[in-house]
Amino acid sequence: MGRGNDRRKQKLKLKRQDKRRRGIKVPFTLANVTKKMNGRSNEHQYKTNIHNLIFNDARFRNIRYSASNITYCKFSRAKLVGIDFIYTNLKKSVFKESHLEDVVFFGVNLKDADFSRATFKNVYFINTNTKVAKNLNITNAEIKIINNYPASILDKNLKNILDNLVLNEKVYKHRVLHVNKEKVNKWFIELLLNEFTQKELYRALRKLDNPNRNTDFFTYYSYRKYILNYLNK
């Protein structure tokens, strides 16, 4: 019976890995593990459901969590660089003494999430109620609060290249620059326009207009990093 269970678990693991290789989003669920967990990098975690896990001192880089539940988790002294939390529930998770850099909280539940002595660099809270969080100093110059829909008008060249990029599955599937195939994601484009001109953004994104390009862009951070490198800034 034990060997049978092990074979089933291995079969399910291989099936999940195969789906990820083919670009299919695979939900991940785990709860109440007492040992300390490792961080993650370069992934899109869709509908992740984790509860009461320990990520103290872990390192996270270039991760997009969308439609996820990450509750009662501990991220004390963790380093989170290039993380998008999109419509994610972070209720009662703990970020004490953590470092957050190029992190976006979009439509996030921060009820009793604790940011005691956390440090921030280029962090955005968009359509997120920060008042329900604990020990979050929103007067920090590295924190930007955005609640109004972007008013900027995209020029023709930039709009055209964004429309073309829906054909590049590596760009489109993570929904950073697009809401769907008919609508661009002006919230995230506006974050990039805070740092780059429309002409600069067009020049950089034009190079991605290739369906065969083998590079995933999971987060706002991954685009920002690519554009900075492309423009040699």
Side-chain angles (χ1 to χ4, degrees):
M1 183 65 115
R3 286 195 295 271
N5 284 334
D6 289 342
R7 283 195 294 270
R8 279 192 292 273
K9 287 180 180 178
Q10 183 64 17
K11 188 175 180 180
L12 287 172
K13 181 180 178 180
L14 292 173
K15 187 180 290 187
R16 288 195 297 267
Q17 290 175 345
D18 179 63
K19 285 183 177 180
R20 290 193 180 103
R21 278 194 295 269
R22 290 187 286 127
I24 301 173
K25 299 184 180 73
V26 181
F28 175 74
T29 300
L30 189 64
N32 302 317
V33 176
T34 57
K35 72 173 185 178
K36 191 158 69 170
M37 310 290 290
N38 294 323
R40 310 182 75 92
S41 62
N42 303 318
E43 292 179 355
H44 182 177
Q45 291 284 319
Y46 176 67
K47 288 189 175 180
T48 285
N49 185 18
I50 57 178
H51 174 82
N52 196 26
L53 301 184
I54 302 171
F55 295 101
N56 294 341
D57 304 298
R59 298 291 181 266
F60 291 81
R61 182 179 292 271
N62 196 30
I63 301 288
R64 185 172 181 86
Y65 288 104
S66 56
S68 296
N69 287 293
I70 305 174
T71 57
Y72 293 82
C73 290
K74 298 175 179 62
F75 296 91
S76 294
R77 301 175 304 281
K79 187 172 184 179
L80 298 93
V81 177
I83 313 300
D84 290 351
F85 293 107
I86 311 299
Y87 296 117
T88 291
N89 181 9
L90 292 175
K91 181 180 178 181
K92 291 201 174 183
S93 283
V94 176
F95 297 88
K96 289 182 179 179
E97 299 179 10
S98 61
H99 176 73
L100 294 86
E101 182 173 340
D102 289 328
V103 175
V104 178
F105 297 87
F106 188 102
V108 171
N109 177 13
L110 292 178
K111 177 67 174 174
D112 292 328
D114 191 352
F115 292 89
S116 298
R117 299 181 298 282
T119 57
F120 302 89
K121 183 177 180 181
N122 196 36
V123 174
Y124 291 91
F125 291 89
I126 304 174
N127 286 348
T128 293
N129 184 1
T130 57
K131 295 179 180 178
V132 298
K134 296 167 65 176
N135 304 304
L136 177 61
N137 179 15
I138 61 172
T139 64
N140 187 318
E142 293 292 336
I143 290 177
K144 292 91 173 176
I145 309 293
I146 303 175
N147 292 310
N148 296 320
Y149 190 73
S152 61
I153 298 174
L154 305 183
D155 66 35
K156 183 179 178 180
N157 286 336
L158 181 55
K159 181 65 169 63
N160 284 343
I161 198 62
L162 286 165
D163 289 343
N164 290 343
L165 283 174
V166 300
L167 301 176
N168 184 339
E169 190 63 17
K170 294 285 186 179
V171 171
Y172 174 72
K173 68 181 177 180
H174 302 298
R175 304 295 200 278
V176 180
L177 300 182
H178 304 87
V179 175
N180 53 47
K181 291 193 174 182
E182 285 74 44
K183 184 177 181 181
V184 298
N185 190 336
K186 286 193 71 174
W187 293 101
F188 279 79
I189 293 166
E190 188 72 13
L191 297 189
L192 295 171
L193 289 176
N194 288 339
E195 189 165 1
F196 310 106
T197 67
Q198 294 206 29
K199 187 174 289 187
E200 288 174 330
L201 197 53
Y202 165 73
R203 283 172 50 208
L205 293 181
R206 183 179 58 180
K207 294 298 182 181
L208 303 182
D209 189 14
N210 178 357
N212 298 317
R213 186 181 178 92
N214 193 29
T215 303
D216 276 294
F217 288 85
F218 299 105
T219 60
Y220 150 73
Y221 160 83
S222 60
Y223 283 99
R224 179 177 182 267
K225 185 178 178 183
Y226 158 72
I227 296 167
L228 285 170
N229 289 336
Y230 178 81
L231 298 173
N232 293 317
K233 286 195 172 186

